[in-house]
Amino acid sequence: PVGIIDDNVEKHGMRIHGITVVGKSEDLDRLALKYKVTDAIIAIPSATGPQMRGLIDSCRRAHVSFKSLPPLREIIGGQVGIQ
């Protein structure tokens, strides 16, 4: 991983498990180019439909492949698995 994106600006510059929070979701296009990102993981289980579409559109504009993590309750409940 090269960076974490979080819309909470208080987290910007922090390190989470050794990975720096580099910006917010609206900067995804610019950050993907800066860090030469090829793949992204969207891990926002509470994201609304419009928020997800915005993130997916940003990934596509930046030519970044993406995967979305399901909500933790679905993983724990055995409704979905992670490969």
Side-chain angles (χ1 to χ4, degrees):
V2 296
I4 297 171
I5 293 176
D6 195 303
D7 287 339
N8 182 345
V9 294
E10 292 179 10
K11 293 181 184 176
H12 293 182
M14 293 178 71
R15 294 178 67 79
I16 300 172
H17 295 288
I19 309 301
T20 304
V21 179
V22 295
K24 53 190 173 188
S25 60
E26 68 185 42
D27 300 327
L28 188 134
D29 302 34
R30 180 182 60 77
L31 293 168
L33 290 171
K34 178 179 180 179
Y35 293 101
K36 297 178 176 59
V37 173
T38 57
D39 300 287
I41 298 172
I42 301 172
I44 312 172
S46 62
T48 64
Q51 287 172 319
M52 283 299 290
R53 279 190 294 279
L55 292 166
I56 290 167
D57 289 345
S58 291
C59 286
R60 288 183 175 146
R61 279 193 304 274
H63 304 288
V64 173
S65 297
F66 62 89
K67 294 189 185 222
S68 177
L69 261 153
L72 187 57
R73 69 183 178 289
E74 291 180 14
I75 297 168
I76 292 171
Q79 297 162 307
V80 296
I82 298 177
Q83 297 181 359

